[in-house]
Amino acid sequence: MCKKVCLLLVVLLTGILLSESLVFAEEESKPNVLVVYSSKSEEMDDHQRMLDMLVGHFTDNIVFRHSQSLQQEDLEGITHAFYYGQVRERLAKNTIHMLEAFSGTFTVIGYNAEQFEKKMSFIEQQGEGVYSRLAWGDEEKVLQVRRQSILQVELAEEASIIIEASHGENYQYPFLAKKDQNFYLAATSLEEPVSIVFADTLHDIFKTKEPYVQKGYLRLEDVHPLADPIKLMEIADILKERNISYMIAVIPVYTNPDTKEQHYLSDHPAVLDALTYMQENGGSIVMHGYTHQFRDSETGEGYEFWDEENNMPIYHGPTDTVIKKTKIDFSNTADYNDYIATQKAFERNYIDKKLTRGVQELANYGLYPLAFEAPHYTMSQNGYGVIADYFSTYVGQVQLSDKDWEIMAGVPYFTTPTFLKGMELLPETIGYVDPEDPNAVEKMVKRAEEHLLVRDGMVAGFYHPYLGKEKLLELLDELEKLPPIEWIDLKERENAVIAENVEITTEDGDVLASIDKGGLISASWDFPLYHVKTFIVKSTWGMVGAGGLAVCLFLIYALRTIRRYRRGRIG
């Protein structure tokens, strides 16, 4: 008996050690990336965040250092180093020496490559040129683009071209070149179209292995309490019939901009029933803000987490007088930092209240949000940090600057950039069906074809259900002509949503919800009142049904009695 117990313990211990070693090996296999950058300021800006998203597809072990702040210890354990010369700069000799001595894979982007005399000896700067075509890959992939500028370089014979740029028949340039494990990208901006081709060739830089799966999603946008339940059900049945998993971007509260009256999902049971049906038949709920408006704009039109009027984060109430201040308005740095901290604390408190209420409200209805999407994709960097405390998954495009909401982007594949504080981004890549554009579907398909050039590119767009089913059918018919796309089911991915009294996770296609009902009752009487109201309505209908049944039985009994009476008289 003792031997059997000992043997069992040995087996269990071996299994535990093996599983831990596998997890450790998986962590060890992730690339460790260092990005050194030159920019107008030492702080990260939209250019570095774009690279953050592109690299974040391959690893979440990414460290950013300004060129003037690089230390030798920053290179310890690094497998891949990038230098992004977004602006021209004379690099410190020590910075050059450290990066030249790096023995891993090294990639230079943009300006200042000539200062790395050893690693970049295979290129020679030749000024600037223009291109309108990019070609790459063994089976030549081609992307036609509007005319762009390029940093023109000449290659040594021992170098190879990974991506070639051209303009007409007379102009050809190396766009991404390689010698040994050193790469050079001749671009100063990573926006599209560069992000598409670079995303694909980053697989070569990181030496990824097949198989590659091209994924996609369709998101039904701006579904609020006043949505048309009939149209929702029509669309739900179409997607179910075609076996397409999808997302529903739900706004829990609709605010009438004129009367200020608020409509909740509990006020519109037909919409709530439609959402419940969708959740149970291929749809996954995405929380799309709480009211999708900030001041007096209509729900679905407003910017809930960004002050569009002043083009700044939510550092104030909707009726407050806004006074913008910069560093020069303060006599010392400490006062300025206190001012910024106060503003960010206001924003955090504002977002906290919205998210907590939204998650609790949806969960109380039996709708379980698995991801978050900011209205109009607008949110500050501080805001993303707050969202990350509640959601593990973010959907859509992301805002890359705290100075201008229009500086936003996505990348061609899912990613976990450092600025999203641990959230996974499922980017929107092909736009939406614009009812004002007769060529909207055609444009979406063209963008889909471009993103399918990436080895594991995503085809992700959205559709407004108020348009009805016709345009959706047209879009689906065209997308089904493309190479196979694996439609993302959020329930099949790892998601975690945590708010006060609510925890939601996904596991093997199931949604697991842990709700502290007592805590919800103490948070707001609205939550138990919804269930009381639902019970009363069902009970009422039950009594009506019972009463109707009694009437029917009485009528049947009366008719049978009359017939018997008549037969008796006739007899």
Side-chain angles (χ1 to χ4, degrees):
M1 181 67 181
C2 183
K3 289 182 179 180
K4 290 183 178 179
V5 171
C6 291
L7 181 61
L8 179 60
L9 288 174
V10 169
V11 171
L12 289 173
L13 182 60
T14 303
I16 291 170
L17 291 174
L18 181 60
S19 63
E20 288 183 349
S21 65
L22 288 173
V23 171
F24 180 76
E26 184 180 349
E27 289 296 319
E28 285 290 297
S29 68
K30 281 187 177 182
N32 291 313
V33 175
L34 171 68
V35 178
V36 181
Y37 62 94
S38 296
S39 62
K40 294 179 181 179
S41 71
E42 290 195 19
E43 295 181 355
M44 284 181 63
D45 60 21
D46 50 294
H47 297 279
Q48 288 80 53
R49 292 187 185 107
M50 191 71 195
L51 180 57
D52 194 4
M53 287 198 292
L54 288 164
V55 174
H57 177 65
F58 301 91
T59 180
D60 54 3
N61 301 324
I62 312 172
V63 175
F64 282 80
R65 290 287 182 268
H66 190 270
S67 58
Q68 297 175 11
S69 305
L70 182 65
Q71 301 294 323
Q72 184 61 50
E73 53 264 31
D74 294 328
L75 287 156
E76 293 179 5
I78 296 300
T79 59
H80 296 72
F82 290 78
Y83 169 73
Y84 186 3
Q86 202 269 314
V87 296
R88 297 184 189 276
E89 179 188 33
R90 173 54 59 185
L91 297 171
K93 290 183 179 180
N94 195 39
T95 298
I96 295 173
H97 174 73
M98 286 186 283
L99 291 175
E100 290 265 61
F102 174 64
S103 60
T105 303
F106 183 55
T107 304
V108 173
I109 302 169
Y111 296 118
N112 312 318
E114 72 282 355
Q115 297 180 49
F116 299 98
E117 295 180 355
K118 295 178 181 179
K119 288 188 176 294
M120 293 291 117
S121 60
F122 62 94
I123 67 169
E124 181 180 342
Q125 298 282 353
Q126 298 285 318
E128 295 191 8
V130 295
Y131 70 93
S132 57
R133 181 180 183 271
L134 295 168
W136 72 101
D138 295 333
E139 298 178 3
E140 189 173 85
K141 300 177 181 180
V142 175
L143 186 63
Q144 302 287 351
V145 302
R146 66 182 188 281
R147 195 167 73 168
Q148 309 275 330
S149 62
I150 185 174
L151 297 178
Q152 187 176 347
V153 297
E154 185 174 323
L155 294 187
E157 288 185 5
E158 64 269 22
S160 58
I161 297 176
I162 309 299
I163 306 173
E164 183 179 70
S166 60
H167 183 60
E169 297 181 357
N170 300 320
Y171 301 96
Q172 287 86 33
Y173 315 98
F175 193 72
L176 178 64
K178 172 191 177 185
K179 180 190 174 187
D180 301 325
Q181 55 183 348
N182 300 314
F183 296 80
Y184 175 69
L185 182 68
T188 58
S189 171
L190 297 176
E191 296 177 349
E192 286 191 22
V194 178
S195 63
I196 294 176
V197 294
F198 193 42
D200 187 50
T201 50
L202 275 170
H203 285 280
D204 301 318
I205 292 175
F206 284 102
K207 295 181 181 179
T208 60
K209 298 178 180 179
E210 297 184 9
Y212 301 112
V213 178
Q214 292 175 312
K215 297 180 179 291
Y217 69 75
L218 179 67
R219 195 176 71 240
L220 303 180
E221 196 78 343
D222 294 341
V223 179
H224 53 66
L226 297 189
D228 186 337
I230 296 176
K231 290 181 178 179
L232 290 178
M233 290 298 295
E234 286 180 344
I235 290 171
D237 287 337
I238 289 170
L239 294 172
K240 181 181 179 181
E241 183 180 345
R242 298 200 182 202
N243 198 29
I244 295 176
S245 301
Y246 59 99
M247 305 177 193
I248 316 114
V250 177
I251 309 166
V253 180
Y254 177 91
T255 304
N256 187 305
D258 299 320
T259 66
K260 307 298 183 282
E261 180 184 8
Q262 290 191 317
H263 296 263
Y264 297 84
L265 287 169
S266 57
D267 301 324
H268 300 272
V271 176
L272 195 51
D273 288 345
L275 289 172
T276 302
Y277 175 84
M278 296 167 96
Q279 182 177 245
E280 294 172 353
N281 291 274
S284 293
I285 305 296
V286 173
M287 183 176 164
H288 189 28
Y290 183 59
T291 62
H292 204 311
Q293 45 91 242
F294 178 53
R295 289 191 172 88
D296 294 329
S297 54
E298 183 179 2
T299 290
E301 300 296 329
Y303 295 63
E304 187 170 5
F305 299 105
W306 187 261
D307 182 357
E308 182 201 12
E309 188 175 300
N310 294 288
N311 203 10
M312 65 185 293
I314 303 295
Y315 292 154
H316 46 266
T319 60
D320 292 348
T321 301
V322 178
I323 301 175
K324 284 188 176 183
K325 293 183 179 181
T326 62
K327 199 169 186 177
I328 62 174
D329 296 315
F330 296 84
S331 58
N332 57 70
T333 302
D335 288 346
Y336 173 70
N337 290 339
D338 288 344
Y339 168 74
I340 294 298
T342 300
Q343 289 193 311
K344 288 184 176 180
F346 183 98
E347 181 186 32
R348 168 171 280 277
N349 184 58
Y350 172 85
I351 298 173
D352 275 334
K353 289 180 179 178
K354 295 271 190 170
L355 296 185
T356 299
R357 181 70 186 194
V359 171
Q360 289 180 343
E361 207 163 289
L362 290 172
N364 190 54
Y365 301 144
L367 301 176
Y368 304 115
L370 304 181
F372 185 82
E373 176 203 353
H376 296 302
Y377 302 146
T378 55
M379 178 162 279
S380 74
Q381 299 304 304
N382 180 56
Y384 289 132
V386 182
I387 299 296
D389 290 340
Y390 292 80
F391 290 87
S392 66
T393 306
Y394 191 92
V395 171
Q397 294 191 19
V398 287
Q399 186 174 321
L400 301 178
S401 169
D402 282 354
K403 297 179 180 178
D404 186 354
W405 71 267
E406 293 189 84
I407 301 177
M408 65 171 61
V411 284
Y413 38 39
F414 65 86
T415 180
T416 310
T418 62
F419 71 87
L420 288 186
K421 309 301 181 185
M423 287 191 293
E424 182 181 48
L425 170 65
L426 301 181
E428 173 261 297
T429 58
I430 67 172
Y432 70 106
V433 177
D434 183 352
E436 304 298 323
D437 185 354
N439 300 315
V441 171
E442 179 183 344
K443 290 177 181 177
M444 292 177 74
V445 172
K446 182 178 184 299
R447 284 186 57 78
E449 292 171 340
E450 292 173 350
H451 283 77
L452 289 174
L453 293 171
V454 180
R455 270 163 256 193
D456 49 1
M458 283 188 65
V459 174
F462 61 96
Y463 185 82
H464 291 95
Y466 73 81
L467 295 176
K469 62 182 180 180
E470 286 75 18
K471 280 290 183 181
L472 176 65
L473 289 168
E474 180 184 347
L475 174 63
L476 295 177
D477 288 343
E478 292 302 316
L479 290 178
E480 287 180 352
K481 296 176 184 177
L482 299 174
I485 299 167
E486 182 180 295
W487 296 105
I488 290 175
D489 183 352
L490 282 180
K491 301 183 187 71
E492 297 289 347
R493 301 175 71 87
E494 291 186 7
N495 304 282
V497 181
I498 300 175
E500 187 178 0
N501 304 311
V502 177
E503 288 189 21
I504 302 167
T505 57
T506 50
E507 184 178 312
D508 298 328
D510 294 323
V511 178
L512 308 177
S514 175
I515 301 174
D516 181 353
K517 295 181 180 179
L520 283 185
I521 291 174
S522 64
S524 173
W525 279 105
D526 291 340
F527 298 132
L529 286 176
Y530 161 71
H531 294 287
V532 171
K533 178 181 175 182
T534 302
F535 174 76
I536 292 173
V537 170
K538 289 182 178 179
S539 298
T540 302
W541 279 110
M543 287 187 288
V544 169
L549 179 60
V551 170
C552 289
L553 291 173
F554 174 77
L555 289 175
I556 293 171
Y557 173 76
L559 289 172
R560 292 183 67 181
T561 302
I562 290 171
R563 286 179 180 176
R564 287 175 182 172
Y565 174 74
R566 287 179 176 174
R567 286 174 184 169
R569 291 193 62 182
I570 293 172

